[in-house]
Amino acid sequence: MTVRACVTGQPVTYSRSPLLHGYWLKAYGIDGAYEREEVPPEMAADFYRSLAARGYAGCNVTLPNKEIAFSVLDEADESAAALGAANTLWLDGGKLHGASTDGYGFIANLDASAPGWDGARNCALVVGAGGASRAVVHALVGRGFDRVVLANRTLERAETVASLFGPRVRPLAFDRIAEVMGEADILVNCTSLGMKGSDPLTLDLTRLRQEAVVSDIVYVPLMTPLLKAASAAGFRIVDGLGMLLHQGVPGFRRWFGVTPEVTPELRAVLVEDLRAKGQLEA
């Protein structure tokens, strides 16, 4: 019997998850399907509770439904419980389980793209305090960084996020970033700055140590202004596309019973899709 999963949220028209999971289904010869389901917030709770009745083994959850999905879980893994949000749901023993795999995808992408990036684990500098930032901060704390500095234009929001993770996470006003740049082992952009159609994130990268890694979770465009500047200055860089690819691995394993690999061939398929849609460049 065909195993079915889907991506849910509003909108889901532009989601690349069907391309990602469709590639894996074909590559592993699995009798499965991965679909799109437009699910507005007011219908989300009922939709997730009725996954089995709809014929789904599970689903991905995109904005704005991650918190709603978490609220209806029977069982939440540690990542979802820590963030109060879930982006990957699956059915097991008649119960609805959920996880947040964004942090997993972030770390796996760094491990694959910049081996040794966490050799020091002294200080990570994260810019932005939205939902994606929470997952990244949680992942960096879990990887053992002594200090994670969370900078945001609205200091109060950074303080709110930092309070979720204890004393190792410290809020910082955006205009004080220069004070900690020289201590950072990794700099991560978790804002929408640099996204196609948005203003760039402009930072003085000369303050960074040359050993630091610069990462951006934005992948449209693939080479954001921040990554271009960092590459030109000789820093190791990690783009956001790999995070998208790696975060899909746990869900695919849960739904289809195979742990898929993130390969150069898979990445090339997604890059070609970006190129075809004119989204490679800013």
Side-chain angles (χ1 to χ4, degrees), residues 26-145:
K26 183 177 180 180
Y28 294 101
I30 294 171
D31 181 10
Y34 188 93
E35 304 163 16
R36 286 184 172 89
E37 288 274 9
E38 193 81 9
V39 180
E42 62 272 17
M43 297 173 59
D46 287 341
F47 184 93
Y48 300 129
R49 289 192 186 103
S50 63
L51 278 176
R54 296 172 183 272
Y56 287 116
C59 68
N60 282 129
V61 183
T62 64
L63 294 175
N65 294 344
K66 294 182 181 182
E67 290 79 11
I68 299 170
F70 173 78
S71 73
V72 301
L73 295 177
D74 297 311
E75 300 285 345
D77 83 342
E78 186 274 335
S79 61
L83 301 173
N87 75 335
T88 303
L89 310 185
W90 67 95
L91 294 163
D92 186 9
K95 291 186 176 182
L96 183 62
H97 294 249
S100 173
T101 66
D102 288 332
Y104 167 87
F106 171 73
I107 293 292
N109 184 33
L110 284 166
D111 287 343
S113 302
W117 69 274
D118 60 343
R121 304 189 192 184
N122 293 318
C123 176
L125 174 57
V126 178
V127 183
S133 173
R134 295 185 184 205
V136 166
V137 169
H138 179 249
L140 289 167
V141 170
R143 182 49 72 98
F145 274 79

Side-chain angles (χ1 to χ4, degrees), residues 20-29 245 248-249 252 260-262 266:
L20 167 62
H21 291 286
Y23 177 92
W24 281 330
L25 287 170
K26 183 177 180 180
Y28 294 101
L245 303 180
V249 169
F252 192 92
E261 287 188 64
V262 175
L266 170 61

Side-chain angles (χ1 to χ4, degrees), residues 260-272:
E261 287 188 64
V262 175
T263 61
E265 292 79 14
L266 170 61
R267 180 181 169 89
V269 169
L270 273 290
V271 169
E272 181 54 38

Side-chain angles (χ1 to χ4, degrees), residues 187 189 191-205 208 214-235 237-240 279-282:
L187 166 65
N189 176 36
T191 74
S192 60
L193 293 173
M195 188 177 293
K196 195 174 182 71
S198 300
D199 292 332
L201 174 62
T202 303
L203 297 172
D204 182 6
L205 298 179
L208 277 179
V214 179
S215 177
D216 203 322
I217 69 168
V218 171
Y219 65 89
V220 178
L222 194 58
M223 281 292 286
T224 63
L226 174 65
L227 293 183
K228 283 184 177 180
S231 179
F235 294 101
I237 62 170
V238 179
D239 63 51
Q279 296 175 336
L280 273 183
E281 300 295 332

